[in-house]
Amino acid sequence: MTEKEDETPKEEAVGDAGAADGEKKLSKSQLKKLAKGKKDKKDKPQWNTANKEKKVKAAPPKFEFVNETPKGEKKDLSKIPMQDAYHPMAVEAAWQEWWEAKGFYSCDPKFAAGKKPEEKFVMVIPPPNVTGSLHLGHALTAAVEDTLTRWHRMKGHATLYVPGTDHAGIATQSIVEKMLLKSEGKNRHDLGREAFVKKVWEWKEDYGGRITGQLRRLGSSCDWGRERFTMDDMLSKAVVEAFNRFHEKGILYRANRLGNWSCALKSAISDIEVDHIELEGRTFLEVKTHKGNPNDPKGRYEFGTLTSFAYPLEGDGDEKIIVATTRLETMLGDTAVAVHPEDDRYKHLHGKFVIHPFNNRRIPIILDAELVDMSFGTGAVKITPAHDPNDYEVGKRHNLEFITMLASDGSINENGAPFTGMMRYDARIAVEEALTEKGLYFGKEPNKMRLGVCSRSGDILEPMITPQWYVNCGNMAKRATDAVRNGDLKIVPSEHEKTWFWWLDNVRDWCVSRQLWWGHQIPAWFVTKKGENLDKNDMANNERWIVARDEAEVMEKAEKLLGCSAGEIEMERDEDVLDTWFSSGLFPFSVMGWPENTEDFKGFYPTSLLETGLDILFFWVARMVMMGLELTDTLPFHTVFLHAMVRDKEGRKMSKSLGNVIDPLEVIGGCTLQALQERLEGGNLAEKEVARAKNNNALEFPDGIPECGSDALRFGLLAYTVQGRDISLDVKRVVGYRLFCNKLWNATKFALTFVADFKPTTTLLSDLMGSGKMAIRDKFMISKMGNAAEAVNDCFANYKFGDAQQAAYSYWIEDLCNVYLELVKPVVKGDDEDSKWAAQATLWLALEAGLRLLHPMMPFVTEELWQRLPGRGTLGDEEPETIMLAPYPEQIDEYKNEAVESSMVDVSEVIKACRSLRSSYNIKNKDLTAFYLKASGSFETSALAQTDDIITLGKASFVKINLPDSEIPESVGAVVVNDQLTVLMDMKGLVDYKVEITRLKKTLKSTINPLEQLQNKMSADGYDEKVPEDLKKTNTEKLDALLKKKEEIEKGIKDFEKLDTLESK
C-alpha cells in the first residue's frame, strides 16, 4: 500500500475556450427565459457556506487593433503583448504579406527538376472565373489545396502552387454588357468589337483582383509571382499553338452541323453545358427573352403538351394526314412527313406530297422504318431536319431540304413567313391560332418531356444548324480512360471512376467555337482572291479556311492554296472565339510556358495533383487529361482528388441565384445582419428569393456573423470533408471553431508561463528521451505526440482531411490540454529540478510539434504562437525562419510507448471515477477529497506508478491503494468501475447528509407520481388488446426507467441515512 499527500495549491483553469474577451455567454435556456421575460431561479444554498453577494466583473473594453507592421516586414512580437484572448484580426495581420515578401511560396525550377516525383508537389489552382467572388464552396477548395501545399512544403518537397483566374467568356461578356447598358445605354455593337474588348479589359483590371484578395485572406500559399490569367500573352500563345496542332493532326475541323444554340447568348454551346428539366405534363415557364404570354396572368409560356395538326394532301379532296409535335412552331421548317413503309393506312400515299398551309411548300411523304413507330399516335411524323436531332439524321438519309426557320435570337426568320419577327414561343401561340382558323388544328394533350436548358444563361435551347469548329475527341478520350483503367491516373474517391468512363466512353465531338467577342479569337482566316464573292458559311468553300499561328503564316499558306501573289489575296479572320474550357484545358502546362521548353516546364510539369469539385469532372478535368496527353504525350497530373459538393444546411447547392452564398470574408472578418441583407438586395435575385434568403439570414444570423478569422474557417471547413459525400454546410458550426482557436491561444499562453525560463536546444528530444528523468506522464505525452503525427500524415496522404482535423484537434484538447498540461502544474511549481526540467522539455516539445502539426490547416495562429515560443532565434543556423519551413512532425518508432499509454488509460479510468464521485455528491472544486482504491492487475500497477497524477487530476488530498477494509472509514461512497477497480471517497465533513436526504425524498416523490400513473394505465382493462404494440413498447421502456430511477433514489436515501447515523455517533 502507498500514500501520497497533495501539497500543491490548486491552479486556475487553462482558460475558457467559449468566451473571448471575458464576456459571459448565456445558455439556450437562459436566452429563452429572457425572451419570455422570466427570471432565473435562485441558486440553491450550498451547505456550510454563507450567502455572499457576488461581485459582477465589468465587461472589458472592446479590443481595438491597429496593424503597425510595415507591409512585407515581419511582425515584431516583442513589441506586441500577448492578449488575454484570441483576436483573429490581430493574429492574422501582417503574416501573409511577410510570407510573400520573403518568397517562401516560390520554388526554383532547377531544384524541382532534380527531385524524384515523390519528392515534388506541384498543383495548379482550378482557375475561378474572373467575374465573381468566392463563396464557401470555393473556400473549401482553397483550404484543402493549401493544406496539402503547406504539408508538402514542410516535408521538404519541391513545392509549387500556381494561382490564376479564368477569363470566363460568356459570364464576363454578359456582365460588361449589362454594365455598359446601365451606365451608357449602349450595347456592344454600338461600340464595335475592338472598343468593347477594351472595355472588358478595363473591367478586368478594376474588378479582377477580388478573388486573389480573398485567397490571400484565406492564407493560400500560392506563388503569386506566377499568377496567370487565361488571356495572358503566354497562355494565349499556347491556345493558338494547340488549335493549330489539333488542325494539323486532322482532329480539328469546321462543319455545318446540328448543335445546341442559346438564343439568349446567340451562341453555340457544347453538349456538357446543357442542363435538363423533366416535365411531367402541361407546365408554364417564364422565358426571359420574351415579352410575356398575353394569355397567362404571369406571362408564362406553355410546355409539356403534344399538339396535333393536319397537313392537307396535294390535289383536290379533303384528305389530310395528322401529325403531332411538342414544338408547334418548328412546323414552319418542316420538309417531310414520314410514315412506316409497312403501315397499311398510308400505303396509298407513298410518293405523294402534302402542302404546307402557310407557304404552300410541297412536302414529300417519305418512308422511314428506322424513325417511325406505327403504334405511336397516328403513325405519321413531321420532319424538321434543321431543328431536331432525330429529324436531322432522317434528313441526311433521305437527302431532304434543311430549312432553318429561326434567327440567332430565337425569332422567326424569313423562312417562317408570315410569322417572321415573332419570338419563337409567341409564334407557337400564333401558329396554333392560325391552324385553328384553317380547320387544321386537332387539339393537344399533356405530354412528358425533357427540356434542354443552357447552364450558362438558363435559356431553353434550340437545336440549330450552324457552321462551327469541332474537335474529334475519340482517340484522346480512349487514352484518358486507358490511363485510369491501367492505374496511371488515380481518381479519388474511386467511385467517381464510373462517371469518368461513362462520359469518355460516350464522348462526342467537341464544339469549340462560340459566337462571342470576349475570349481567344479563333486563329483561322477565310481567304479569297480580290474580286471573288464567296460565302464563308457555305461548306462548299470550306477549303478557303486557313488555320495558322499568325497572318504571315496565313499569307504563306494562301499563296500556295490560291496560286497567286500576296497582293491579290484578301483575308478575313473568324470573328468567333474559343470555348472557355479550351484554354482551361491547357492550364497545367500553359502556365509553365508550353509550347516553349522553359525551365518551369522542365521543372514543374507534369504536376502532381488536381484537386477540384466533382461538378467539373468532365468540363475541365477530362479535357486537361485529353489535351495534356495529345499535346505533351504526358498525363498532366497523376492523381485527381474530387472533394464533395458544398451545399447549404438544407441540402441546396450554393448558388447566387438562391441567395444562399456566404462570402468567406464575411466569416473571416464578421458581418452584420444588415450587411448580409443589403448584399441580397444588390444582386439579381427574384423578389421571392430575396425574401426567402432574408428570412433565412434573420433566423440563422440574428446578430450577424461574428468575426472568426481564416484559421477557424479553414479548420471548420476541413472538419466537413468526408470522402464521397456532399457537404451540407452549417455556417454556425464553422463559427464554432473560433472557440477552438481561443482554446489553442489560451492553452499556449498558459503553458508559456511554465516554460518562460526554459532554454530549448536542437537536440532537445533525444536529450530528453535519454535523460532518465522522465515520468510516465512525460513519456505518455511524447508517445501521443508521435501518434498524432503519424495519424495526421497518414490522413493527408490519403486525402482524409476531416480525420486529419479530428486527430490534430484531439491531440491538442484531449492529450495536451486536458491531461498533460494539468498534470505538470504541480511539477513545474515543485522543487524536484530533474522532474521540472523533464516536464518543461516535454511541454515545449509538445507545444512546438503541436503547432507544426496544425500549421497546414491553420497557418496564421500557428505562426504567431510558434514565433512566441521561448528560444526562438537561438537554435543556430539551421533554425527555420518561419513555421512553414520547419519540418513536419513524424512518428519516431523508438519513442512510441504503448505501455505508458496503456497505463494512462487505466489511470484515466481511476480519475474518471474520482470525478464522478465528487460530482455525485456536489463536492466543490476547492475542497480536496480522500480516495481509497481497491485495485488489481494493470490498474494496481498503473495507480501505484501514477499516484501523483491521480492526486492532481482527481482533486485528491491523498490516495491510498489496497488498504485493509478495517483501515477504510465507513463514511465512504464507492464506484465499482470493473472487477479490477473500485474507487472509494471519504465524504466525512464534506456532505450535509440531512440536506441530501431531503433533496432525494423530494425527487422520489416527483418520480413515484408518474410511475404510479403509468402502472395504472398499463394495468387497465383492455390495455393489451387496445394499445398499439409500438406504444406498449414505449410504455414498458418508460416503466423500466422509472423503476430503476426509484431504486437508485431509494438506495441513495438509505446510504445517506447510514452515513448520517455513523457521523452522529
Side-chain angles (χ1 to χ4, degrees):
M1 61 185 173
T2 185
E3 174 183 340
K4 288 283 182 92
E5 302 264 353
D6 181 39
E7 299 173 347
T8 58
K10 178 179 147 312
E11 289 283 340
E12 65 181 357
V14 169
D16 178 16
D21 299 341
E23 294 174 1
K24 184 179 178 183
K25 296 213 170 188
L26 297 178
S27 67
K28 289 183 178 178
S29 61
Q30 287 171 315
L31 287 169
K32 287 179 181 177
K33 288 174 184 175
L34 286 172
K36 295 178 180 178
K38 292 183 178 180
K39 296 181 180 179
D40 282 337
K41 294 179 181 177
K42 291 182 179 179
D43 291 337
K44 292 181 179 178
Q46 296 292 327
W47 177 74
N48 219 10
T49 59
N51 287 327
K52 294 181 181 179
E53 190 173 326
K54 291 184 178 180
K55 292 182 179 179
V56 180
K57 290 183 180 180
K62 186 177 179 181
F63 178 76
E64 298 289 344
F65 171 74
V66 178
N67 181 19
E68 296 181 352
T69 303
K71 186 173 182 179
E73 292 188 15
K74 185 178 181 180
K75 193 188 295 187
D76 187 351
L77 297 177
S78 66
K79 297 178 181 178
I80 305 174
M82 196 169 181
Q83 294 295 319
D84 290 335
Y86 168 72
H87 297 285
M89 188 180 296
V91 170
E92 296 176 4
W95 290 121
Q96 179 74 16
E97 290 84 0
W98 178 62
W99 290 331
E100 284 189 47
K102 292 292 290 185
F104 294 146
Y105 297 163
S106 65
C107 184
D108 185 344
K110 292 181 179 178
F111 171 71
K115 289 285 189 178
K116 299 175 183 177
E118 62 269 21
E119 297 173 337
K120 184 160 58 173
F121 181 76
V122 181
M123 178 172 57
V124 298
I125 196 171
N129 289 353
V130 73
T131 54
S133 59
L134 305 183
H135 57 61
L136 289 182
H138 300 110
L140 172 64
T141 300
V144 168
E145 290 177 359
D146 192 56
T147 293
L148 285 170
T149 301
R150 289 177 181 270
W151 176 59
H152 279 282
R153 190 182 288 119
M154 293 177 77
K155 290 177 77 68
H157 298 162
T159 303
L160 182 67
Y161 181 20
V162 181
T165 48
D166 191 283
H167 65 278
I170 293 172
T172 306
Q173 178 163 313
S174 177
I175 285 175
V176 177
E177 283 196 88
K178 288 177 182 177
M179 181 193 70
L180 192 63
L181 185 64
K182 187 175 181 179
S183 62
E184 301 181 24
K186 296 179 180 178
N187 60 39
R188 60 185 166 116
H189 298 284
D190 294 328
L191 267 66
R193 183 171 190 145
E194 186 176 343
F196 176 76
V197 170
K198 184 180 178 183
K199 280 279 186 186
V200 181
W201 275 107
E202 289 172 0
W203 180 91
K204 186 265 179 187
E205 294 305 316
D206 289 342
Y207 298 100
R210 288 181 296 182
I211 288 171
T212 55
Q214 288 174 305
L215 288 170
R216 283 179 161 97
R217 285 289 299 276
L218 282 163
S220 293
S221 59
C222 307
D223 185 349
W224 294 103
R226 285 185 167 89
E227 182 184 351
R228 301 291 182 242
F229 177 54
T230 51
M231 290 279 285
D232 286 347
D233 289 343
M234 185 173 80
L235 276 65
S236 295
K237 180 180 179 182
V239 167
V240 170
E241 183 64 26
F243 192 91
N244 275 266
R245 290 196 189 184
F246 283 165
H247 189 260
E248 288 161 3
K249 290 184 177 189
I251 60 174
L252 184 142
Y253 61 93
R254 195 169 188 274
N256 204 28
R257 291 171 49 176
L258 190 76
N260 305 298
W261 185 265
S262 169
C263 298
L265 299 174
K266 299 180 186 177
S267 175
I269 64 168
S270 66
D271 291 334
I272 63 169
E273 292 171 306
V274 180
D275 293 334
H276 291 94
I277 301 174
E278 301 291 342
L279 302 182
E280 291 301 313
R282 189 171 185 238
T283 306
F284 284 87
L285 300 174
E286 180 185 4
V287 181
K288 292 181 180 179
T289 55
H290 287 42
K291 292 181 179 179
N293 179 3
N295 301 324
D296 181 73
K298 296 182 179 179
R300 300 166 304 171
Y301 291 84
E302 184 182 60
F303 298 87
T305 60
L306 189 67
T307 302
S308 296
F309 70 96
Y311 275 120
L313 248 64
E314 184 180 40
D316 296 332
D318 296 328
E319 189 171 1
K320 302 178 181 67
I321 188 166
I322 298 174
V323 294
T325 179
T326 58
R327 298 159 62 220
L328 183 58
E329 68 282 1
T330 62
M331 62 88 65
L332 299 172
D334 284 357
T335 58
V337 172
V339 297
H340 197 284
E342 297 178 7
D343 193 334
D344 292 335
R345 293 172 294 179
Y346 300 114
K347 282 186 176 180
H348 68 292
L349 299 180
H350 292 187
K352 295 190 175 182
F353 293 81
V354 295
I355 300 299
H356 199 286
F358 301 125
N359 55 33
N360 294 320
R361 184 167 62 242
R362 295 177 77 232
I363 297 176
I365 297 171
I366 62 172
L367 310 181
D368 197 293
E370 188 173 336
L371 175 74
V372 179
D373 178 357
M374 288 188 290
S375 64
F376 183 77
T378 63
V381 181
K382 63 182 285 298
I383 305 297
T384 320
H387 293 284
D388 182 272
N390 293 321
D391 295 1
Y392 178 77
E393 296 301 325
V394 173
K396 289 197 294 184
R397 283 199 298 271
H398 295 273
N399 197 28
L400 298 175
E401 186 180 4
F402 287 71
I403 297 176
T404 298
M405 39 69 64
L406 286 176
S408 62
D409 63 351
S411 62
I412 307 300
N413 66 15
E414 65 281 0
N415 293 326
F419 306 98
T420 302
M422 288 186 180
M423 297 305 289
R424 52 187 162 154
Y425 301 125
D426 293 320
R428 177 178 295 182
I429 297 168
V431 168
E432 181 181 314
E433 292 172 350
L435 287 170
T436 302
E437 289 177 8
K438 291 177 178 289
L440 298 175
Y441 174 69
F442 282 80
K444 57 187 169 187
E445 59 188 36
N447 182 71
K448 283 187 178 182
M449 65 180 297
R450 196 179 192 213
L451 276 182
V453 176
C454 175
S455 63
R456 302 289 188 177
S457 66
D459 183 43
I460 298 169
L461 295 170
E462 287 291 340
M464 290 262 280
I465 294 177
T466 53
Q468 305 290 344
W469 292 93
Y470 292 88
V471 175
N472 183 331
C473 299
N475 186 59
M476 290 192 288
K478 185 179 184 305
R479 292 185 71 183
T481 55
D482 287 348
V484 174
R485 288 188 169 108
N486 64 29
D488 292 337
L489 178 62
K490 185 179 180 183
I491 296 178
V492 182
S494 59
E495 58 258 33
H496 297 309
E497 288 180 4
K498 60 185 178 183
T499 306
W500 182 264
F501 295 138
W502 187 88
W503 272 110
L504 291 172
D505 287 341
N506 297 283
V507 74
R508 297 173 66 177
D509 288 3
W510 174 17
C511 175
V512 295
S513 48
R514 298 290 180 271
Q515 287 61 56
L516 305 171
W517 285 359
W518 173 245
H520 295 100
Q521 191 171 355
I522 289 174
W525 287 258
F526 188 74
V527 297
T528 56
K529 292 180 181 179
K530 287 184 178 179
E532 280 188 308
N533 184 22
L534 299 179
D535 182 359
K536 63 184 178 182
N537 291 325
D538 187 340
M539 291 298 107
N541 300 323
N542 227 17
E543 64 174 12
R544 293 296 186 94
W545 282 100
I546 293 178
V547 173
R549 290 163 180 82
D550 54 40
E551 290 190 355
E553 186 179 340
V554 176
M555 190 58 71
E556 182 182 341
K557 290 181 176 180
E559 287 175 348
K560 292 179 181 178
L561 175 68
L562 302 179
C564 60
S565 65
E568 301 174 77
I569 296 172
E570 292 181 338
M571 64 175 73
E572 180 185 356
R573 188 168 182 176
D574 195 330
E575 291 187 346
D576 294 346
V577 300
L578 284 165
D579 179 10
T580 298
W581 296 107
F582 191 95
S583 54
S584 300
L586 306 173
F587 202 71
F589 45 100
S590 65
V591 297
M592 306 302 179
W594 183 90
E596 305 300 327
N597 192 28
T598 63
E599 292 297 328
D600 274 9
F601 186 76
K602 288 185 283 187
F604 299 126
Y605 187 80
T607 66
S608 311
L609 173 75
L610 191 283
E611 193 283 337
T612 189
L614 172 63
D615 54 329
I616 55 173
L617 177 61
F618 194 79
F619 278 102
W620 187 44
V621 182
R623 283 167 172 166
M624 282 187 288
V625 172
M626 289 192 295
M627 297 174 88
L629 286 169
E630 186 67 29
L631 295 168
T632 71
D633 203 31
T634 305
L635 281 168
F637 30 76
H638 58 69
T639 303
V640 176
F641 174 66
L642 301 166
H643 66 246
M645 178 72 72
V646 178
R647 302 182 182 277
D648 65 15
K649 72 173 191 174
E650 297 176 22
R652 301 180 303 165
K653 184 178 178 179
M654 290 274 184
S655 169
K656 290 179 182 177
S657 63
L658 294 175
N660 61 354
V661 168
I662 299 291
D663 185 331
L665 299 187
E666 292 172 338
V667 180
I668 292 170
C671 184
T672 65
L673 176 61
Q674 181 181 351
L676 288 171
Q677 309 297 49
E678 287 174 354
R679 177 167 58 79
L680 289 171
E681 292 169 358
N684 297 317
L685 284 178
E687 190 175 331
K688 183 179 178 181
E689 288 296 339
V690 169
R692 179 181 177 182
K694 279 188 170 184
N695 184 56
N696 286 342
N697 281 345
L699 291 172
E700 286 291 302
F701 313 111
D703 300 317
I705 301 174
E707 176 195 6
C708 296
S710 296
D711 290 320
L713 175 58
R714 288 168 59 127
F715 203 59
L717 289 170
L718 291 172
Y720 272 98
T721 53
V722 179
Q723 289 185 15
R725 299 182 190 171
D726 280 359
I727 296 170
S728 292
L729 185 66
D730 184 350
V731 177
K732 287 194 286 189
R733 181 181 164 192
V734 173
V735 169
Y737 281 99
R738 184 195 190 284
L739 304 181
F740 172 68
C741 293
N742 197 62
K743 180 74 172 178
L744 182 69
W745 181 269
N746 287 342
T748 305
K749 185 174 188 290
F750 182 66
L752 289 178
T753 64
F754 292 164
V755 293
D757 59 347
F758 184 74
K759 293 180 172 55
T761 63
T762 55
T763 58
L764 182 59
L765 179 57
S766 58
D767 292 345
L768 173 67
M769 298 305 293
S771 68
K773 300 176 181 179
M774 298 176 75
I776 288 177
R777 60 182 163 266
D778 304 323
K779 295 176 182 177
F780 163 81
M781 192 65 246
I782 295 300
S783 186
K784 281 293 191 179
M785 183 176 79
N787 291 348
E790 183 177 36
V792 176
N793 274 299
D794 182 69
C795 290
F796 283 162
N798 291 286
Y799 311 106
K800 296 179 179 178
F801 300 100
D803 293 343
Q805 187 261 15
Q806 189 55 48
Y809 180 91
S810 177
Y811 169 80
W812 270 93
I813 297 300
E814 295 174 17
D815 300 329
L816 184 51
C817 291
N818 291 352
V819 177
Y820 190 72
L821 196 51
E822 296 293 328
L823 288 177
V824 297
K825 286 178 183 179
V827 180
V828 295
K829 297 285 186 180
D831 298 326
D832 187 331
E833 291 301 320
D834 285 348
S835 295
K836 179 179 179 180
W837 178 85
Q840 287 182 312
T842 303
L843 182 56
W844 191 94
L845 288 165
L847 289 170
E848 198 272 346
L851 292 170
R852 285 186 285 129
L853 191 75
L854 278 173
H855 177 73
M857 296 178 276
M858 306 176 77
F860 295 102
V861 69
T862 51
E863 180 78 87
E864 176 107 357
L865 294 175
W866 188 83
Q867 295 285 358
R868 289 185 181 274
L869 290 178
R872 186 61 58 226
T874 67
L875 298 176
D877 295 338
E878 297 300 314
E879 180 183 0
E881 191 175 0
T882 169
I883 191 173
M884 78 165 63
L885 299 182
Y888 200 73
E890 300 280 351
Q891 171 71 284
I892 301 174
D893 289 337
E894 62 187 285
Y895 298 158
K896 185 178 177 64
N897 196 324
E898 293 180 358
V900 299
E901 289 183 38
S902 179
S903 178
M904 189 61 81
V905 169
D906 289 345
V907 168
S908 296
E909 287 295 316
V910 176
I911 293 165
K912 182 180 177 182
C914 293
R915 290 174 169 176
S916 175
L917 279 166
R918 290 175 58 86
S919 175
S920 297
Y921 296 107
N922 299 318
I923 307 297
K924 293 182 178 180
N925 283 336
K926 69 182 183 64
D927 296 327
L928 303 181
T929 45
F931 288 100
Y932 302 85
L933 308 185
K934 291 183 178 182
S936 61
S938 65
F939 284 96
E940 181 180 16
T941 305
S942 301
L944 288 169
Q946 292 186 257
T947 309
D948 283 346
D949 296 335
I950 297 171
I951 289 172
T952 300
L953 294 185
K955 297 190 182 339
S957 56
F958 63 79
V959 173
K960 296 183 178 182
I961 302 170
N962 290 338
L963 287 178
D965 287 349
S966 60
E967 296 183 28
I968 298 174
E970 292 182 313
S971 55
V972 293
V975 170
V976 178
V977 179
N978 54 44
D979 60 352
Q980 292 186 330
L981 177 65
T982 299
V983 178
L984 305 99
M985 180 181 74
D986 189 2
M987 296 182 290
K988 188 173 183 179
L990 294 171
V991 178
D992 186 332
Y993 303 120
K994 289 183 171 58
V995 170
E996 291 299 321
I997 291 167
T998 301
R999 179 179 64 81
L1000 286 176
K1001 284 182 175 179
K1002 185 178 179 181
T1003 305
L1004 180 62
K1005 184 178 179 181
S1006 65
T1007 302
I1008 288 174
N1009 287 338
L1011 173 62
E1012 290 177 344
Q1013 289 175 9
L1014 185 57
Q1015 286 174 326
N1016 291 336
K1017 182 190 295 183
M1018 294 175 68
S1019 61
D1021 291 340
Y1023 176 82
D1024 289 333
E1025 297 80 15
K1026 297 177 181 178
V1027 176
E1029 288 300 320
D1030 58 341
L1031 184 55
K1032 283 195 285 187
K1033 183 182 177 182
T1034 301
N1035 287 341
T1036 301
E1037 290 171 354
K1038 284 182 182 177
L1039 181 64
D1040 291 343
L1042 287 168
L1043 287 170
K1044 184 178 179 181
K1045 183 178 179 182
K1046 175 175 175 288
E1047 182 183 342
E1048 289 174 351
I1049 295 169
E1050 288 172 339
K1051 182 180 181 301
I1053 292 171
K1054 186 176 179 181
D1055 289 343
F1056 278 128
E1057 286 174 341
K1058 177 184 173 183
L1059 291 168
D1060 187 37
T1061 302
L1062 288 170
E1063 190 164 288
S1064 62
K1065 286 182 179 179

